[in-house]
Amino acid sequence: MEAKVTGSSTPRSPVYRALLRAGPSLRALQQVHGHIVVSGSHRSRALLTKLITLACEAGSIFYTRRLFLSVPNPDSFLFNSLIKASSKFGFPQHTVFFYNRMLGFRIAPSSYTFTSVIKSCADISALRLGRCVHSHVLECGYGSDSFVQAALVTLYAKSGDLGAARKLFDKMPERSVVAWNSMISGYEQNGFSREAIEVFNQMRELGVEPDSTTFVSVLAACSQLGALGLGCSVHHDVINNGLHVNVALGTSLIIMYARCGNVSKAREVFDSMNERNVIAWTAMISGYAMNGYGIQAVELFCQMRAHGPVPNTVTFVAVLAACAHAGLVHEGRETYANMMQEYGLVPGVEHHVCMVDMLGRAGLLTEAYQLIKELGPEEAAPAVWTAMLGACKMHKNFDLGVIVAEHLLEVEPENPGHYVMLSNIYALAGRMDRVEMVRNMMMGRSLRKQVGYSTIDVNQKTYLFSMGDKSHPETNEVYQYLDELMLQCREAGYAPVPESVMHEVEEEEREYALRYHSEKLAIAFGLLKTKDGMAIRIVKNLRMCEDCHQAIKFMSVVTKREIIVRDKLRFHHFKDGSCSCMDYW
């Protein structure tokens, strides 16, 4: 039988008040702990429970465990308090440990227990364990508890089992905003942005009030799709709902506008934020970089160093990428040196890729190649060599390009992109025998080039086009309009760039293949379906070819429209016959 300690276990006791004063401060808690032991209050479970949960909140999980293991007969209140605290304060694996100990003591879990344990399984993506806990939930009769159901939706969504998450979600009689958020973020984080937006639209139709977490996930989905119209609508909802634009929401808005090509609006949001952390600064710098505003990115980086938080490795990637795309070699070298010398940061693969890309684009192939050779085996990752290969193709250095490509084929023999690039280099050099050899190698390995496609948002609906695509119900109209548009472009001075396709293709077939690239089809559809003067925005999954880049410059002249294309690497803002990249891409 547990001994009672008079005056030391009640919430009004001096020792209990001392615990409250100590709060989540490890040193202060240890002092109170010593007093508890000396005074003989260590048998009070109320005091021990409070001490243990505060130790967990203080971040000392090993001290927490030591205290817990000193309790001879922990009760359900102690277990539930500890499971909830360890889950809340970022110790998911220990939550599972305490849960297993609870079962070992044959103490029945409550709905609160399951909610915390399932959340912890979700935090560490422990799907197999989560399924076991789900079975235990059903055995204990908590399968219909709304909080437990919401936690299970989060578990399956975070772990990538979207089928199970959606099945549970659809069966819920009452869905809390947490459940809606879990389903939306689950789709978005697993690359199903359209499905995330569909769930969000369903949420609005049913009159469920979204919160800031909802908007962060939806804005991320808009960013992936380049859905500026919906993104603007969400921004209006944020304003109309009177939500506070905190750092997370503000940063999501910056990323959305930047990734949809509206950099001025992204900067407007950035300037309006009362609080900015390193992530917000980096998002704005990255926004400038991907849209071709290298000088602005470097200027903002200088402001950050002078007045903002300390830049991290991700910030330096953004700045170096900006320098690479804008030809700011001097600034890039200086930034790379500052990263190591001033901030003591160790460059990673992404930084090396940016440096090789920057030097390569500027034509400094020897320096770029020397940088790679000075890197260790792990630092000289395939991505670094791929950047070098792109530079060799850009500057038509066939001898070095073949050396680089053959190295890539050795380290990544299953990557079709390397074969395609090597094939193109041989084709540009007129070595058609080698082109055939590379193609045979691809066929022997059953490798295929990634299919390119482009999407365009019209009236908040997304349309997808691929090369030569005839699946659209208005195909004839789109093709006829594109033919007329290309004729106008020819009259304005456009000529097809034959190097953009394989050289052995017949001249007539070559022009046909170029004309009906996915981005040209998407632009033609957008021009047909939008009002005069409206900007056209396209998202492409691959890098835009040289011919399309040339053609779209002429399209912007003959249609008097701004055309914005986001390809795999960056943005291109076409206006009045020129591109924001200044043909430096």
PDB file of all heavy atoms in Angstrom, residues 434-445:
ATOM      1  N   ARG A 434      27.548   6.783 -83.264  1.00  0.00           N
ATOM      2  CA  ARG A 434      27.532   6.766 -81.798  1.00  0.00           C
ATOM      3  C   ARG A 434      26.117   6.970 -81.254  1.00  0.00           C
ATOM      4  O   ARG A 434      25.754   6.425 -80.216  1.00  0.00           O
ATOM      5  CB  ARG A 434      28.454   7.858 -81.251  1.00  0.00           C
ATOM      6  CG  ARG A 434      29.923   7.607 -81.534  1.00  0.00           C
ATOM      7  CD  ARG A 434      30.473   6.602 -80.544  1.00  0.00           C
ATOM      8  NE  ARG A 434      31.866   6.309 -80.748  1.00  0.00           N
ATOM      9  CZ  ARG A 434      32.598   5.587 -79.911  1.00  0.00           C
ATOM     10  NH1 ARG A 434      32.047   5.110 -78.814  1.00  0.00           N
ATOM     11  NH2 ARG A 434      33.862   5.322 -80.165  1.00  0.00           N
ATOM     12  N   VAL A 435      25.342   7.799 -81.939  1.00  0.00           N
ATOM     13  CA  VAL A 435      23.941   8.017 -81.536  1.00  0.00           C
ATOM     14  C   VAL A 435      23.199   6.685 -81.552  1.00  0.00           C
ATOM     15  O   VAL A 435      22.482   6.330 -80.607  1.00  0.00           O
ATOM     16  CB  VAL A 435      23.239   9.027 -82.473  1.00  0.00           C
ATOM     17  CG1 VAL A 435      21.737   9.067 -82.196  1.00  0.00           C
ATOM     18  CG2 VAL A 435      23.845  10.412 -82.304  1.00  0.00           C
ATOM     19  N   GLU A 436      23.399   5.921 -82.638  1.00  0.00           N
ATOM     20  CA  GLU A 436      22.743   4.627 -82.764  1.00  0.00           C
ATOM     21  C   GLU A 436      23.203   3.673 -81.668  1.00  0.00           C
ATOM     22  O   GLU A 436      22.412   2.918 -81.098  1.00  0.00           O
ATOM     23  CB  GLU A 436      23.052   4.042 -84.144  1.00  0.00           C
ATOM     24  CG  GLU A 436      22.231   2.808 -84.495  1.00  0.00           C
ATOM     25  CD  GLU A 436      20.747   3.107 -84.615  1.00  0.00           C
ATOM     26  OE1 GLU A 436      20.398   4.258 -84.957  1.00  0.00           O
ATOM     27  OE2 GLU A 436      19.939   2.203 -84.353  1.00  0.00           O
ATOM     28  N   MET A 437      24.484   3.728 -81.344  1.00  0.00           N
ATOM     29  CA  MET A 437      25.036   2.863 -80.298  1.00  0.00           C
ATOM     30  C   MET A 437      24.380   3.159 -78.943  1.00  0.00           C
ATOM     31  O   MET A 437      23.990   2.239 -78.206  1.00  0.00           O
ATOM     32  CB  MET A 437      26.543   3.071 -80.202  1.00  0.00           C
ATOM     33  CG  MET A 437      27.216   2.258 -79.095  1.00  0.00           C
ATOM     34  SD  MET A 437      28.866   2.852 -78.711  1.00  0.00           S
ATOM     35  CE  MET A 437      28.471   4.364 -77.809  1.00  0.00           C
ATOM     36  N   VAL A 438      24.248   4.463 -78.609  1.00  0.00           N
ATOM     37  CA  VAL A 438      23.646   4.860 -77.331  1.00  0.00           C
ATOM     38  C   VAL A 438      22.183   4.431 -77.286  1.00  0.00           C
ATOM     39  O   VAL A 438      21.692   3.936 -76.266  1.00  0.00           O
ATOM     40  CB  VAL A 438      23.787   6.371 -77.111  1.00  0.00           C
ATOM     41  CG1 VAL A 438      23.038   6.799 -75.848  1.00  0.00           C
ATOM     42  CG2 VAL A 438      25.254   6.771 -76.998  1.00  0.00           C
ATOM     43  N   ARG A 439      21.493   4.598 -78.403  1.00  0.00           N
ATOM     44  CA  ARG A 439      20.083   4.190 -78.446  1.00  0.00           C
ATOM     45  C   ARG A 439      19.940   2.690 -78.231  1.00  0.00           C
ATOM     46  O   ARG A 439      19.029   2.225 -77.542  1.00  0.00           O
ATOM     47  CB  ARG A 439      19.469   4.595 -79.788  1.00  0.00           C
ATOM     48  CG  ARG A 439      19.204   6.082 -79.897  1.00  0.00           C
ATOM     49  CD  ARG A 439      18.433   6.381 -81.151  1.00  0.00           C
ATOM     50  NE  ARG A 439      17.892   7.724 -81.129  1.00  0.00           N
ATOM     51  CZ  ARG A 439      17.113   8.220 -82.071  1.00  0.00           C
ATOM     52  NH1 ARG A 439      16.790   7.481 -83.114  1.00  0.00           N
ATOM     53  NH2 ARG A 439      16.648   9.453 -81.985  1.00  0.00           N
ATOM     54  N   ASN A 440      20.825   1.927 -78.820  1.00  0.00           N
ATOM     55  CA  ASN A 440      20.787   0.472 -78.635  1.00  0.00           C
ATOM     56  C   ASN A 440      21.049   0.091 -77.181  1.00  0.00           C
ATOM     57  O   ASN A 440      20.458  -0.859 -76.658  1.00  0.00           O
ATOM     58  CB  ASN A 440      21.812  -0.194 -79.561  1.00  0.00           C
ATOM     59  CG  ASN A 440      21.396  -0.116 -81.020  1.00  0.00           C
ATOM     60  OD1 ASN A 440      20.211   0.026 -81.330  1.00  0.00           O
ATOM     61  ND2 ASN A 440      22.364  -0.192 -81.930  1.00  0.00           N
ATOM     62  N   MET A 441      21.949   0.843 -76.540  1.00  0.00           N
ATOM     63  CA  MET A 441      22.218   0.608 -75.117  1.00  0.00           C
ATOM     64  C   MET A 441      20.967   0.853 -74.288  1.00  0.00           C
ATOM     65  O   MET A 441      20.656   0.084 -73.372  1.00  0.00           O
ATOM     66  CB  MET A 441      23.347   1.527 -74.638  1.00  0.00           C
ATOM     67  CG  MET A 441      24.723   1.152 -75.163  1.00  0.00           C
ATOM     68  SD  MET A 441      25.970   2.418 -74.784  1.00  0.00           S
ATOM     69  CE  MET A 441      26.027   2.320 -73.001  1.00  0.00           C
ATOM     70  N   MET A 442      20.248   1.921 -74.611  1.00  0.00           N
ATOM     71  CA  MET A 442      19.006   2.223 -73.889  1.00  0.00           C
ATOM     72  C   MET A 442      17.978   1.113 -74.098  1.00  0.00           C
ATOM     73  O   MET A 442      17.319   0.667 -73.158  1.00  0.00           O
ATOM     74  CB  MET A 442      18.429   3.563 -74.348  1.00  0.00           C
ATOM     75  CG  MET A 442      19.190   4.778 -73.891  1.00  0.00           C
ATOM     76  SD  MET A 442      18.352   6.327 -74.332  1.00  0.00           S
ATOM     77  CE  MET A 442      16.936   6.292 -73.207  1.00  0.00           C
ATOM     78  N   MET A 443      17.845   0.670 -75.339  1.00  0.00           N
ATOM     79  CA  MET A 443      16.876  -0.391 -75.642  1.00  0.00           C
ATOM     80  C   MET A 443      17.248  -1.677 -74.928  1.00  0.00           C
ATOM     81  O   MET A 443      16.387  -2.399 -74.419  1.00  0.00           O
ATOM     82  CB  MET A 443      16.819  -0.603 -77.156  1.00  0.00           C
ATOM     83  CG  MET A 443      16.174   0.563 -77.907  1.00  0.00           C
ATOM     84  SD  MET A 443      16.306   0.396 -79.704  1.00  0.00           S
ATOM     85  CE  MET A 443      15.341  -1.090 -79.967  1.00  0.00           C
ATOM     86  N   GLY A 444      18.577  -1.945 -74.871  1.00  0.00           N
ATOM     87  CA  GLY A 444      19.037  -3.157 -74.191  1.00  0.00           C
ATOM     88  C   GLY A 444      18.715  -3.159 -72.715  1.00  0.00           C
ATOM     89  O   GLY A 444      18.515  -4.214 -72.108  1.00  0.00           O
ATOM     90  N   ARG A 445      18.675  -1.973 -72.130  1.00  0.00           N
ATOM     91  CA  ARG A 445      18.355  -1.843 -70.704  1.00  0.00           C
ATOM     92  C   ARG A 445      16.883  -1.515 -70.463  1.00  0.00           C
ATOM     93  O   ARG A 445      16.469  -1.261 -69.336  1.00  0.00           O
ATOM     94  CB  ARG A 445      19.225  -0.755 -70.074  1.00  0.00           C
ATOM     95  CG  ARG A 445      20.693  -1.132 -69.969  1.00  0.00           C
ATOM     96  CD  ARG A 445      21.493  -0.040 -69.296  1.00  0.00           C
ATOM     97  NE  ARG A 445      22.872  -0.433 -69.079  1.00  0.00           N
ATOM     98  CZ  ARG A 445      23.320  -1.081 -68.015  1.00  0.00           C
ATOM     99  NH1 ARG A 445      22.477  -1.429 -67.062  1.00  0.00           N
ATOM    100  NH2 ARG A 445      24.600  -1.399 -67.897  1.00  0.00           N
TER     101      ARG A 445
END
